[in-house]
Amino acid sequence: IMPDSVTDIGTNPAFVNCTGLKELRLSDNLAKFNSNSLNGCTNLEKVNIPACWTEIPSGMFFGCVGLKELTIPGNIQVIPNGLLKGCRGLETVTIESGVEVIGNEAFSGCKNLENIEFTKELKIIGNNAFEGTDIRYITFQKKLEHIGKEAFKDCKLGVIIIPSTVTTIGNG
C-alpha cells in the first residue's frame, strides 16, 4: 500500500521485475508515474489506477502476465495501444463511464478475459483490440462508431450485437 503522500514516481522505474509483488495500491495523489515501473512484475495480480489520472501510460502493464483484475476509472477517456497486451492471466476488467477509445491491441492476448462491459461513451475500438481473448458475448452501446480491423480475431465470440451507429468495421 502506497501512502497518499506519494505524488511522483518519476524517471526511474520503481518496481521493474519485482516478481514477488502480488498487489499494489497506488496513491490516490500519484500524479506522475514512469510507464515502465511495473514491467516484468509477473506475479502482480491486482493494481488500482488512481481516480485522479486522466491518462494511463501505454507500457504500464508490459510483462504483467499474472494480472487478474483491473478497473479503468471514469476520468480515463482513452485506453492506450497495447495497455494490457499479453496479460494472459487477466480475467476481469471494469471500465467505468468515460472511456471513449480502446486503442490498438489494448487487450490482445489476454487469454482468460471472457467478459467485458463497455461504457455508453465508447466510440472507437482499435485494430486487434481484443485479439486472442476468450470473450464470448458482447453488446455495444449506441455511441460506438468504429470497430478496427481484426478487433476480435481469434476470439471465442458466440454473440455480438453491433448498434446502428457503427459506420465502419475493419479498414472501413
Side-chain angles (χ1 to χ4, degrees):
I1 296 178
M2 185 179 296
D4 285 338
S5 59
V6 177
T7 59
D8 186 340
I9 298 178
T11 57
N12 294 313
F15 304 102
V16 135
N17 296 324
C18 285
T19 57
L21 187 62
K22 289 206 173 264
E23 184 173 345
L24 180 61
R25 186 202 159 282
L26 296 173
S27 163
D28 285 334
N29 296 318
L30 186 62
K32 291 184 181 178
F33 189 80
N34 183 292
S35 63
N36 299 315
S37 283
L38 298 175
N39 289 181
C41 293
T42 56
N43 292 309
L44 182 65
E45 295 178 0
K46 184 177 179 182
V47 63
N48 70 304
I49 296 173
C52 66
W53 285 12
T54 56
E55 59 183 49
I56 304 171
S58 63
M60 185 169 176
F61 298 107
F62 181 78
C64 294
V65 297
L67 190 64
K68 292 184 188 263
E69 62 181 274
L70 185 69
T71 297
I72 311 285
N75 288 344
I76 304 295
Q77 290 184 334
V78 176
I79 297 175
N81 295 344
L83 178 67
L84 294 153
K85 183 178 180 179
C87 291
R88 59 182 179 258
L90 190 65
E91 298 170 355
T92 305
V93 175
T94 303
I95 300 175
E96 294 181 353
S97 188
V99 173
E100 295 179 7
V101 176
I102 296 176
N104 298 338
E105 300 182 324
F107 298 93
S108 178
C110 295
K111 291 291 207 191
N112 290 322
L113 184 60
E114 291 184 9
N115 187 21
I116 190 165
E117 303 245 344
F118 298 99
T119 69
K120 62 185 177 191
E121 292 86 6
L122 185 63
K123 295 178 183 175
I124 298 170
I125 296 175
N127 299 337
N128 306 87
F130 296 95
E131 179 179 356
T133 64
D134 278 354
I135 292 177
R136 299 172 194 275
Y137 177 86
I138 297 174
T139 300
F140 296 110
Q141 303 295 325
K142 297 212 183 265
K143 286 193 177 181
L144 187 65
E145 300 169 0
H146 175 79
I147 299 174
K149 71 176 183 173
E150 300 180 342
F152 301 98
K153 179 181 178 184
D154 297 328
C155 285
K156 296 186 178 179
L157 277 174
V159 176
I160 183 169
I161 299 171
I162 300 171
S164 61
T165 53
V166 173
T167 57
T168 55
I169 298 176
N171 291 334

